[in-house]
Amino acid sequence: MDRLYKNQSLLYKYFLYVVSIFCIVFFFPKGGKFKYEFQKGKPWQYENLYAPFDFSVKKTQEEISAEKQKVIDGQLNYYRFNEATAKEVFDEYDTEFVKTFKPEEHSTAELAMLKKTGQDILDRIYENGILQKSNSNEIGKQVYLIKQNEAYQINYDDLYRVRDVEGLMQRILEKKRLGSYTNAFQSVFFNLIKPNVEYDENLSKMALEEELSKLSLTRGTIDEGKLIIAKGEVVESDNYMILESLKGEFESELWASNNYYYILAGYTVLVALVLMMLFLFLKKYRNEIFENGTKVTFIFINILIMVFVTTLVVKYNEAFVFVVPLCILPLILKTFFDARLGLFVHVLTVLILGFVVPNSFEYIFIQIIAGIVTILTVSELYKRANLFISVGQITLIYIVGYLAFHIIHEGNLDNIIWLTLGLFLLNGMITLFVQPLIYIYEKIFGLVSDVSLLELSDTNSKLLKELSNRAPGTFNHSLQVANLAEAAANEIGANAMLVRVGALYHDIGKLSNPTYFTENQITNANPHDDLEPRDSARIIINHVIEGIEIARKNNLPDRVIDFIRSHHGTTLVYYFYKKQKELGGEVKQEDFKYPGPTPFSRETAILMMADSVEAASKSLKNPTFMVLDEFVDKIIGGQMAANQFLNANITFREIETIKKIFKHRLTNIYHLRVEYPE
């Protein structure tokens, strides 16, 4: 059980490894992988390829779209003739006629002739009927009119609108020389005429779908054994479509029931190899990250998110694959870790996505170049202008890369798909949302970015303001240490912003008892004079523990708390230790030692040196160049002799560089000048 407890971190990583492999393989599209890589405009690099089986050659999307449009343009819509409405009009005609043409005003022969004329007008109108709603798009076209359950093909212009009735009536009356009765017939037809022809949307839609379903998605077949392409032959539009058709047929046939588990196993092995490379890289070059389960989980979650989003987009429409802002991945990892890890993870993620995306070589090439540009251009992300400039450069690389591949494929810049260029711009806009994403990750995983460090470095923040009011000496000491440490970190390539923030907060534990520390004593009265040396040492040592508690109450990140915890390492409070020994009796060194741990990074080591040098320099009365030189060597040499830097990833050369920076800065602080002769 103890062994299991000791290895729980390693077991968790195994679990994370297996779950990640399963999720990635599960995301993958269900299909085999064609064993040949080819690109339009490039020579065929393999041996002569013969058709392994009979297959159909698929049409391009452009051809299919053109054929569909042709069917849509030539489609005849259906209109339905309402017999009941027409019959109702004819039935009501007699009543309306009698109301207008009274028997006492006309002779019987005249009434018969007028009534017959009205019926002729109605027959003419309702021969094809009157439209309920006209459609200008149908003018001049043929349509189907469904009358008595039979469809007749007629000209759309032969269907009357209500406004056409008056003109038709006048023409018939003029022809029969009955123009004087126009007003009378208008009053007859005013309330009588009703539209009775309606567009049949359902039937028209069904007919269109039926015609579209008849379209063939292929254009001929390739027989088994036929030469498809010879070695060295350039892949052009015709044989490119044949190869694409073979690829699709091959992958669909390969994903058969008997091959399912073999293909799944192949994908699993390849993904496992990629993720294993990530674990090996972390173990060998980033062991502090490898040992931290939260950070490893963070890296794997980001990889899974990118794979999942890209796969989802490819399944929806593979043309939108470049809208996925993949460069967010190296951006985030560089922000929280370092550039090399960000680029390494980005390349591994792109390799995994090569199984999913179309034109994998093109995709991998462009994405890796974009990732490198991201790593090289993005710096000081807390400056807003830098992010906009970097995203602009990334977008430009995408566009230039796409155009270069287009020229290779097509031989010119014709037929550029402008939608793809728009997708690159959209990709850049989405990448700008990395800032709120970084903030969310900070809160979820407890990580720290340069943006947060910049906020923490503000001396007007609540905690630093309280320190400056209650312990002004400690506050000024912290500022001096921050300046020294930041200069040293810049010189050796450490995280200067992190060191500065750590220096500003490293002594906040002195807020509990500020007057017990020399820099805050404004009178000659020293409270330590009334205490036993052992008790005084305990108060001095406790400022580390109390500082950690204050930091946690104020929600300072763990990376900043590390500076509070380790800035004295396991050194001895030598003054009170010596004083206790002078009093006699048994004295244990452990009672006068800081609890540690010792510094475990370059940044924490720099702070320890800067803190000791700055504090001790206050005791120098008449500093000279020689005195400062020996003084800095003595302080840092003593820390090295006490093995305070064994766990810090810092070299002797870097320590020597730090010494030089401290000496130079202290010289400026004390304004040392050449002594001029009198």
Side-chain angles (χ1 to χ4, degrees):
M1 198 69 183
D2 290 339
R3 187 177 177 185
L4 184 66
Y5 179 77
K6 289 177 183 177
N7 294 322
Q8 62 177 345
S9 177
L10 192 59
L11 289 173
Y12 171 73
K13 291 181 181 69
Y14 283 133
F15 171 75
L16 185 64
Y17 179 66
V18 172
V19 169
S20 299
I21 293 170
F22 171 80
C23 290
I24 290 172
V25 174
F26 179 77
F27 293 154
F28 279 176
K30 302 298 182 284
K33 197 72 178 174
F34 194 47
K35 57 185 176 181
Y36 301 111
E37 280 287 338
F38 58 91
Q39 283 186 290
K40 194 175 180 182
K42 293 189 71 177
W44 180 255
Q45 299 174 350
Y46 309 96
E47 296 299 324
N48 294 357
L49 179 63
Y50 297 91
F53 45 76
D54 295 340
F55 66 93
S56 300
V57 180
K58 295 178 181 177
K59 295 177 181 175
T60 64
Q61 285 298 322
E62 291 77 13
E63 289 175 327
I64 294 171
S65 298
E67 290 183 8
K68 283 184 177 179
Q69 191 59 48
K70 187 176 179 180
V71 170
I72 292 170
D73 293 341
Q75 174 66 19
L76 303 185
N77 289 322
Y78 284 81
Y79 287 80
R80 192 171 292 278
F81 185 93
N82 192 324
E83 301 282 351
T85 302
K87 185 176 184 303
E88 184 181 336
V89 170
F90 279 98
D91 290 344
E92 292 177 0
Y93 171 67
D94 292 338
T95 306
E96 293 296 328
F97 183 82
V98 171
K99 288 181 182 177
T100 303
F101 296 97
K102 301 184 183 305
E104 61 271 14
E105 296 177 359
H106 303 280
S107 65
T108 303
E110 189 178 13
L111 284 173
M113 184 265 296
L114 291 172
K115 189 172 185 180
K116 177 68 170 58
T117 300
Q119 287 174 338
D120 290 342
I121 294 171
L122 288 179
D123 287 339
R124 183 77 176 274
I125 291 172
Y126 286 100
E127 179 183 358
N128 293 322
I130 300 176
L131 282 166
Q132 289 189 349
K133 186 178 180 182
S134 61
N135 184 356
S136 58
N137 294 328
E138 298 276 21
I139 295 173
K141 294 183 179 179
Q142 296 288 307
V143 295
Y144 282 113
L145 180 65
I146 303 173
K147 193 174 181 182
Q148 296 178 346
N149 294 325
E150 288 189 24
Y152 302 92
Q153 187 173 326
I154 65 168
N155 194 314
Y156 178 79
D157 297 338
D158 291 338
L159 293 171
Y160 292 106
R161 270 74 62 185
V162 173
R163 64 175 180 269
D164 299 332
V165 171
E166 185 176 351
L168 175 65
M169 179 189 69
Q170 287 179 348
R171 287 195 300 274
I172 294 175
L173 291 176
E174 290 292 340
K175 189 176 181 180
K176 294 190 175 186
R177 298 179 181 178
L178 296 173
S180 58
Y181 293 98
T182 299
N183 291 334
F185 275 104
Q186 281 180 344
S187 64
V188 171
F189 293 141
F190 183 76
N191 294 319
L192 186 64
I193 297 298
K194 296 176 183 177
N196 74 319
V197 175
E198 186 178 7
Y199 171 62
D200 195 327
E201 185 177 1
N202 291 332
L203 189 56
S204 299
K205 189 176 180 181
M206 287 172 59
L208 178 60
E209 289 175 353
E210 184 180 351
E211 289 299 317
L212 290 175
S213 67
K214 293 177 183 178
L215 287 177
S216 174
L217 302 179
T218 61
R219 49 170 181 179
T221 58
I222 301 294
D223 298 327
E224 182 179 352
K226 183 180 178 181
L227 177 65
I228 296 175
I229 190 168
K231 184 177 181 180
E233 185 180 347
V234 176
V235 179
E236 295 177 330
S237 56
D238 289 339
N239 50 23
Y240 177 77
M241 285 312 302
I242 295 173
L243 287 170
E244 280 289 339
S245 301
L246 176 61
K247 179 182 177 181
E249 197 74 25
F250 182 85
E251 290 177 350
S252 62
E253 284 198 8
L254 195 62
W255 194 259
S257 57
N258 57 330
N259 294 327
Y260 178 86
Y261 295 106
Y262 288 108
I263 296 173
L264 212 59
Y267 276 141
T268 303
V269 169
L270 292 174
V271 172
L273 283 174
V274 172
L275 296 184
M276 188 185 296
M277 294 304 104
L278 176 55
F279 268 120
L280 291 175
F281 177 85
L282 293 175
K283 179 67 177 173
K284 188 172 178 64
Y285 298 107
R286 300 291 184 273
N287 194 54
E288 71 280 1
I289 296 175
F290 180 79
E291 297 297 333
N292 190 316
T294 302
K295 291 180 179 178
V296 174
T297 304
F298 172 75
I299 294 169
F300 272 76
I301 283 176
N302 276 280
I303 294 173
L304 289 174
I305 289 173
M306 287 301 169
V307 173
F308 173 71
V309 172
T310 305
T311 308
L312 210 62
V313 171
V314 169
K315 285 182 178 178
Y316 173 72
N317 189 338
E318 62 184 30
F320 295 160
V321 68
F322 281 109
V323 82
V324 180
L326 205 62
C327 287
I328 280 182
L329 183 60
L331 250 175
I332 289 173
L333 294 179
K334 184 183 178 182
T335 300
F336 289 120
F337 305 114
D338 62 88
R340 184 181 294 181
L341 177 61
L343 181 59
F344 190 81
V345 173
H346 177 72
V347 170
L348 293 182
T349 306
V350 171
L351 290 177
I352 291 173
L353 292 175
F355 296 118
V356 179
V357 298
N359 299 322
S360 55
F361 172 77
E362 180 180 328
Y363 179 85
I364 291 172
F365 183 90
I366 291 177
Q367 292 292 6
I368 288 178
I369 294 297
I372 293 172
V373 170
T374 303
I375 292 297
L376 293 178
T377 59
V378 174
S379 61
E380 299 178 327
L381 199 59
Y382 55 86
K383 295 180 180 178
R384 289 173 294 180
N386 287 0
L387 180 60
F388 282 97
I389 293 169
S390 296
V391 168
Q393 292 171 329
I394 294 165
T395 306
L396 181 63
I397 288 296
Y398 274 129
I399 293 173
V400 170
Y402 165 74
L403 293 176
F405 274 107
H406 184 83
I407 291 171
I408 292 172
H409 295 163
E410 303 293 337
N412 52 50
L413 284 174
D414 298 337
N415 303 319
I416 292 175
I417 303 175
W418 296 103
L419 173 63
T420 306
L421 298 182
L423 294 178
F424 290 137
L425 295 174
L426 183 59
N427 182 308
M429 292 176 65
I430 298 173
T431 305
L432 291 173
F433 282 92
V434 71
Q435 286 284 22
L437 193 60
I438 287 171
Y439 177 79
I440 293 168
Y441 278 147
E442 284 180 332
K443 298 306 176 186
I444 295 175
F445 293 94
L447 301 171
V448 184
S449 69
D450 284 351
V451 179
S452 295
L453 292 175
L454 183 66
E455 293 172 355
L456 290 169
S457 67
D458 182 8
T459 53
N460 288 315
S461 64
K462 181 183 176 183
L463 192 54
L464 291 180
K465 200 76 175 173
E466 186 180 358
L467 183 66
S468 68
N469 291 331
R470 292 178 55 190
T474 298
F475 178 72
N476 288 322
H477 159 70
S478 298
L479 285 176
Q480 294 292 342
V481 172
N483 292 332
L484 281 175
E486 184 179 19
N490 277 323
E491 193 67 26
I492 68 169
N495 190 332
M497 180 68 76
L498 179 62
V499 171
R500 180 172 185 81
V501 172
L504 289 173
Y505 290 91
H506 79 282
D507 268 345
I508 56 171
K510 293 180 180 179
L511 279 170
S512 299
N513 296 294
T515 56
Y516 282 86
F517 298 90
T518 310
E519 66 267 24
N520 298 313
Q521 294 170 1
I522 56 176
T523 64
N524 292 328
N526 191 338
H528 288 290
D529 294 340
D530 301 326
L531 297 174
E532 287 286 322
R534 184 178 283 103
D535 295 331
S536 293
R538 189 178 299 111
I539 291 172
I540 299 298
I541 291 169
N542 279 347
H543 89 274
V544 173
I545 298 166
E546 287 165 353
I548 294 170
E549 291 176 357
I550 292 171
R552 284 182 173 155
K553 284 179 183 176
N554 286 271
N555 298 317
L556 290 185
D558 287 339
R559 288 183 76 185
V560 177
I561 295 175
D562 288 340
F563 287 91
I564 301 171
R565 188 183 289 115
S566 64
H567 76 277
H568 284 295
T570 55
T571 56
L572 195 66
V573 186
Y574 187 73
Y575 176 81
F576 291 111
Y577 171 70
K578 186 178 178 182
K579 199 172 179 182
Q580 186 69 48
K581 284 185 73 174
E582 289 172 356
L583 294 176
E586 185 183 356
V587 181
K588 294 181 181 178
Q589 261 197 9
E590 287 72 22
D591 294 338
F592 294 85
K593 273 189 174 181
Y594 284 98
T598 57
F600 44 83
S601 66
R602 289 194 300 172
E603 288 78 14
T604 51
I606 290 169
L607 176 63
M608 185 181 197
M609 294 183 228
D611 182 42
S612 301
V613 167
E614 202 284 331
S617 70
K618 295 292 191 293
S619 63
L620 297 174
K621 296 189 178 175
N622 294 306
T624 63
F625 290 106
M626 190 66 70
V627 169
L628 284 176
D629 192 71
E630 292 177 357
F631 165 76
V632 171
D633 287 339
K634 180 183 175 182
I635 295 291
I636 296 178
Q639 292 173 335
M640 293 173 68
N643 298 324
Q644 294 301 302
F645 305 133
L646 287 180
N647 296 324
N649 183 25
I650 194 167
T651 64
F652 286 115
R653 176 179 289 180
E654 289 171 339
I655 291 175
E656 288 301 316
T657 303
I658 291 168
K659 285 181 184 178
K660 289 179 184 177
I661 295 297
F662 287 170
K663 292 171 186 176
H664 178 70
R665 284 299 177 114
L666 287 174
T667 300
N668 291 334
I669 289 171
Y670 289 105
H671 304 291
L672 296 183
R673 294 178 180 174
V674 176
E675 293 184 10
Y676 294 99
E678 295 182 4

